[in-house]
Amino acid sequence: MMEKIRMTTPLVEMDGDEMTRVLWKMIKDILILPYVDLKTEYYDLGLVHRNETDDAVTVESAEATRKYGVAVKCATITPNAARMTEYDLKEMWKSPNGTIRAILDGTVFRAPILAEGVTPYIPTWTKPITIARHAYGDVYKNTEMQIKKGSKAMLKVIDENGSEESEMIYDFSDSAGIIQGLHNKDKSIEGFARSCFNYALDTKQDLWFATKDTISKKYDHRFKDIFAEIYESEYKSRFEEAGIEYFYTLIDDAVARVIRSEGGFIWACKNYDGDVMSDMVATAYGSLAMMTSVLVSPDGIYEYEAAHGTVQRHYYKYLKGEKTSTNPVATIFAWTGALRKRGELDGISGLCSFADKLEKAVLKTISDGIMTGDLAAISKLTNKRTVDSETFLNEINTRLSNSL
Ligand code: NAP
Ligand code: MG
């Protein structure tokens, strides 16, 4: 038996709910614990424990992430009315991801995992496109009004000395209508920009950013200017050294270029663009279960997870004693992302190469035709075989142990 890889700093481990909680334990038992002397600081973010701790555990896990710098998170339930009864909750606790993101002030980067045999709907996309969504402000924190015919709508600002400035939005003398007030903050845009530039350097990929600054000459233009200023003063030389590019264009031009591209870059999007484009890109690459997600703070703290949820429908089957063919790939890649980052920060090359080999073993299993049902449904391989989650993990382990 080979010696297990030692770790020096603990990973922050955030456990979760339902089917992904089941997979979480299987992944650790089958693919990680036999090879890594795993050090984690464990936080149980399962809904039962969040409810017991009045959600304090979520805040504690985010604070631990601040302290140690790297976390790996399992999917968690965001409670709704049905969950209130199902779990007999004291309160409708907020989304853990929202709470963690607010504490780390980070940006979420979503990237698809490409496997031979599972081809994207856009055949030219041979490399992943990573979407970075600015998760603050704009239409998500807006103020809207319906306006009666005959009204005048004004935009009014009162500064700290009480002086007022106003501009006409529209004179509704000809018709009733609607208005909308949006805002964003320089501070938030700056954090977004730094997270994007850091992540581009970290993953050695070009960074694209696009807005509609020709039409929105103050609002969108401010985004463009902040990105440009931060790039020039803080990142330009590092980008040149790394041989990567920062590229700004108009959003419609970006959309056209993305479709024609081969992938392999990060696309930074304003809040709404990111909401819409991330669903389009995820679908085009195949399966939600092959989408990874990492939250990166402007000061370089990383939290890795799968982009999908707790796969509730499969969990209810599992509870009835059935074997499910739930895809663990994005959750495995959350672990490999976190282990690799921990290895980089602590100078443990063995941990980084273990992460590489585990990822390769996953992709080899799929290209050998062994896969979960969601992938089998879209794979063009003729020798494909649908297996349950545990068989899939064991097959990955066979390939992993052969490569170590
Ligand atoms: P979901 O868990 O992502 O699942 C939606 C459907 O997508 C599943 O029913 C399944 O389709 C398919 N799917 C997703 N992941 C899969 C995987 N790994 N393997 C195979 N199929 C997969 O979304 P949801 O059902 O809307 O949400 C369930 C719970 O997850 C909710 O309580 C929600 O709050 C939570 N959630 C958490 C996060 C997070 O923690 N980041 C994100 C999203 C949702 P089939 O049923 O057709 O097989
Ligand atoms: Mg969306």
Side-chain angles (χ1 to χ4, degrees):
M1 190 65 211
M2 58 172 274
E3 215 182 309
K4 288 190 190 181
I5 301 158
R6 291 262 174 77
M7 293 177 63
T8 48
T9 318
L11 267 183
V12 176
E13 175 183 355
M14 304 169 175
D15 207 344
D17 288 298
E18 299 194 310
M19 202 59 217
T20 42
R21 187 182 180 100
V22 176
L23 291 177
W24 192 259
K25 182 167 187 323
M26 295 199 317
I27 291 167
K28 280 172 65 181
D29 287 345
I30 300 173
L31 296 174
I32 299 173
L33 292 173
Y35 308 104
V36 180
D37 190 13
L38 188 66
K39 256 190 162 183
T40 72
E41 197 163 296
Y42 178 86
Y43 292 87
D44 183 1
L45 266 54
L47 188 50
V48 173
H49 193 239
R50 271 184 278 149
N51 192 52
E52 281 166 6
T53 61
D54 295 337
D55 208 23
V57 65
T58 307
V59 174
E60 284 160 15
S61 73
E63 279 162 0
T65 306
R66 276 225 151 279
K67 177 173 166 197
Y68 293 113
V70 187
V72 58
K73 181 181 170 290
C74 180
T76 46
I77 292 168
T78 298
N80 56 15
R83 301 295 197 171
M84 293 290 290
T85 348
E86 184 183 356
Y87 284 84
D88 191 18
L89 299 180
K90 296 187 232 172
E91 257 182 62
M92 204 185 285
W93 307 110
K94 282 191 262 175
S95 149
N97 287 49
T99 304
I100 295 164
R101 194 165 60 214
I103 293 172
L104 298 182
D105 183 28
T107 296
V108 173
F109 295 82
R110 282 181 156 211
I113 300 155
L114 295 187
E116 219 179 290
V118 186
T119 36
Y121 287 99
I122 314 269
T124 46
W125 287 1
T126 54
K127 296 176 191 163
I129 294 171
T130 302
I131 299 249
R133 173 179 171 189
H134 182 213
Y136 179 83
D138 301 350
V139 72
Y140 301 85
K141 271 209 184 342
N142 70 354
T143 309
E144 305 188 330
M145 283 177 158
Q146 269 195 313
I147 308 296
K148 284 190 285 222
K149 183 178 170 182
S151 313
K152 287 186 186 70
M154 310 291 293
L155 201 57
K156 181 169 99 175
V157 176
I158 308 160
D159 74 13
E160 58 188 346
N161 307 316
S163 43
E164 291 185 8
E165 193 190 338
S166 60
E167 268 191 61
M168 172 90 84
I169 297 170
Y170 194 73
D171 180 344
F172 287 89
S173 54
D174 59 333
S175 169
I178 42 185
I179 60 166
Q180 186 178 61
L182 307 183
H183 83 280
N184 222 300
K185 300 194 288 189
D186 285 4
K187 195 165 171 280
S188 174
I189 302 166
E190 287 160 9
F192 175 51
R194 288 196 178 93
S195 292
C196 291
F197 289 128
N198 286 339
Y199 195 66
L201 282 171
D202 199 43
T203 58
K204 297 220 167 17
Q205 298 183 90
D206 290 346
L207 175 68
W208 295 17
F209 182 45
T211 72
K212 194 71 184 176
D213 66 282
T214 47
I215 297 298
S216 174
K217 291 187 167 63
K218 296 215 170 99
Y219 197 102
D220 277 19
H221 214 285
R222 187 80 193 127
F223 279 81
K224 178 184 177 177
D225 287 345
I226 287 175
F227 266 70
E229 283 157 22
I230 291 181
Y231 177 68
E232 287 298 325
S233 61
E234 298 172 31
Y235 291 93
K236 193 169 187 220
S237 59
R238 278 191 277 166
F239 266 54
E240 284 166 359
E241 261 168 52
I244 58 173
E245 223 180 78
Y246 169 58
F247 171 63
Y248 178 86
T249 187
L250 283 170
I251 185 71
D252 25 9
D253 180 48
V255 170
R257 284 171 188 265
V258 164
I259 293 292
R260 289 196 305 265
S261 79
E262 58 169 19
F265 54 89
I266 299 160
W267 184 10
C269 291
K270 285 181 62 199
N271 209 350
Y272 177 83
D273 298 339
D275 185 351
V276 177
M277 292 305 162
S278 64
D279 284 359
M280 187 194 72
V281 168
T283 307
Y285 275 104
S287 171
L288 185 58
M290 296 291 276
M291 189 60 79
T292 63
S293 177
V294 51
L295 176 71
V296 182
S297 80
D299 46 350
I301 290 163
Y302 292 75
E303 184 242 276
Y304 295 84
E305 64 179 310
H308 61 77
T310 60
V311 213
Q312 183 181 19
R313 206 179 63 82
H314 294 213
Y315 182 59
Y316 291 158
K317 279 198 190 171
Y318 166 87
L319 288 181
K320 281 192 254 163
E322 290 175 43
K323 287 208 165 188
T324 72
S325 185
T326 317
N327 187 339
V329 170
T331 306
I332 297 172
F333 274 62
W335 275 99
T336 53
L339 289 170
R340 184 186 293 108
K341 177 53 72 183
R342 198 64 271 168
E344 281 169 19
L345 293 174
D346 296 347
I348 306 172
S349 61
L351 208 50
C352 301
S353 65
F354 172 76
D356 294 343
K357 284 173 181 164
L358 176 48
E359 290 181 358
K360 281 209 183 90
V362 171
L363 300 180
K364 180 79 172 73
T365 308
I366 298 169
S367 65
D368 284 348
I370 300 161
M371 55 189 84
T372 46
D374 58 314
L375 295 182
I378 53 174
S379 170
K380 298 204 171 66
L381 293 179
T382 49
N383 63 337
K384 64 190 176 190
R385 180 158 67 92
T386 303
V387 295
D388 62 73
S389 303
E390 199 176 346
T391 307
F392 183 61
L393 292 171
N394 285 326
E395 289 282 349
I396 294 169
N397 186 39
T398 304
R399 287 159 183 78
L400 172 64
S401 62
N402 283 339
S403 75
L404 290 172

